Amino acid sequence: MSTLTTNYLIPSGREEAWRFTPLSRLGGLHDPVVEVRDVISLLAQDLPAGVTLKRVTSSAQFPISQTNDIVIMRIREAISEVLLLEIAKDSEIAEPIKLTRNDTGLAPQLGRTVIKVGSNARATVIIENQGSAILAEEIEIILEPGASFTFISLQEWENDSVHIGRHHAIIGKDASFTSFVVTVGGSVVRLLPTVEYAGPGSSAELNGVYFATDGQHFEHRIHVDHNLPKAKSRVNYKGALSGLNAHTVWIGDVYIHAAAEGTDTYELNRNLLLSDGARADSVPNLEIETGEIVGAGHASTTGRFDDEQLFYLESRGIPAEIARRLVIRGFFAEIISKIHLETIEERLMARIDNELAKVGE
Amino acid sequence: MSTLEIKNLQVSVATETGFTEILRGVDLTIKSGETHAIMGPNGSGKSTLAYSIAGHPKYTITGGSVTLDGLDVLAMKVDERAKAGLFLAMQYPVEVPGVSVSNFLRTAVTAIRGEAPKVRTWVGEVKSAMTELNMDPAFAERNVNEGFSGGEKKRHEILQLELLKPKIAILDETDSGLDVDALRIVSEGVNRVKENSELGIMLITHYTRILRYIKPDFVHVFANGRIVEEGGPELADKLEENGYAEYISA
């Protein structure tokens, strides 16, 4: 058990960063008075050659990146051990490296993980979050020059789970980082997929999918820090909502520093409202300090089913219910099919079918 | 032998200021094997007729009836109309992102035939229909109508016509946006279906150009929400020369 020594401010809900989040449902993760467990709950099965996983003391693996998020600061202070996953340089790991967290219980817990991807290594890590948990975690991902790394975080929590997390990638010269963040379960999920660059020629592709039903709050706050020249970023998040008080929040902050000449960035968020009583907030923010860029753009749409699409499918004999399913599957397939891992794709599409079956119940 | 019977059909559409009447009593009977050209100026209500029969939710039927072999089409849901044997080739086919043509066709054919097509014969069936329409096999893996050219969209509509095998097809401005070669390929597709299946056709068009390829048995002039003149193919020739002026002023 740990308590904090620092006299942190507790978010009141009036802060810009917290104004959408239902603080009363966080299980105390944001409140320094509430006791939290300091445990490593991520488990790995067989690790391929070239991959090592170990626990190191917190003082042996200080945080590399900056944060001003109060919960993440709390994790950093409270944690005694860090899970360190290292992928050897030049290694090509064909099979995805799987870390799972299953049913770790409803006592609040904190965790910190660091993933180091060696230069010119190629690998994929999948983090599977299932069962019940009240969790705040930070994952820092360091890509050495020339690395190519895919990070997949699946939130398939039970309905009572709370998950606050930061996935921060530091992308080296000519390295490319791809992420898929899929949130389809939990009571409150608030994730901060963030990126900064450590060298030119680096690129980030941040993809996300979420499907919130009755009462679920799913929040994804993306921050791409174009701090260096000649880096690229693409953000594409898609969500569906259905049922009373289903709430999703997507924040897309892209900051292009004065030094970041040659930046190429585009971010996109699309939300599909499947019923009354659901709410999607979508806020793209683009701040540009130099005009010497390749491109910078964003788009955000939130809307209902396209009646013309449904009519087209139905006019070919396809019943309305199947037509709706085709359209939603298609909506998500655009992102999920890019994962290129058949078992994961099938599982996620089945999960989406399952969520869809709840619509109209 | 099938009969589509439209009697005194009246249709309105909701606007900001209330309902606007578009069809003012349409009477038309189409039987298997017959081709009826519906010709008229823009805004005369031709497309409204097509979409009302197919069941588009935008239109409100205020009077009259539509039956297919005696069954009340207007009481059917959109998909039920297709299952009953109606097909609408749209002027502006809709993009459906993330849904492949092959998945879409298989789903539609399964719904219409009431059972999934046998995998072995199905692949060949689609392939030969695509070849006849001069379509690249890679087309099947693209998303429905997404990024299709005007000609590709119309070929895709006729491909569906060939595979779904309806009793009565409504072709809404299928000729629009097609160059001469595409128009010929698409028209040959329609004629092929007609030869093989005794298809009844309602061919909606603004221009007489497509009638050189798809020969109508009857020509109906549509103006101001109703049929104002009827005749044989010779009526199309008259329209080619004189245009629609006399019907608009009338």
Side-chain angles (χ1 to χ4, degrees), chain B residues 208 229 233-243 246-247:
Chain B
T208 54
E229 190 171 353
E234 73 287 347
L235 182 52
D237 300 331
K238 187 182 142 195
L239 290 170
E240 175 74 33
E241 265 177 47
N242 303 342
E246 65 171 296
Y247 303 108

Side-chain angles (χ1 to χ4, degrees), chain B residues 121-188:
Chain B
T121 50
W122 171 244
V123 173
E125 194 180 342
V126 174
K127 205 179 252 180
S128 78
M130 287 179 71
T131 307
E132 303 248 40
L133 287 164
N134 216 0
M135 293 166 89
D136 186 333
F139 199 87
E141 298 316 313
R142 291 169 65 183
N143 291 331
V144 172
N145 292 320
E146 202 176 53
F148 287 17
S149 69
E152 285 172 334
K153 283 182 180 168
K154 297 302 171 69
R155 283 178 214 201
H156 181 228
E157 295 294 284
I158 302 309
L159 176 66
Q160 295 167 52
L161 177 70
E162 296 217 50
L163 295 170
L164 298 179
K165 302 187 174 30
K167 294 169 180 161
I168 305 285
I170 302 166
L171 310 180
D172 186 21
E173 310 249 2
T174 292
D175 50 341
S176 71
L178 294 185
D179 62 27
V180 180
D181 291 331
L183 180 62
R184 185 180 48 76
I185 290 165
V186 162
S187 301
E188 284 170 1

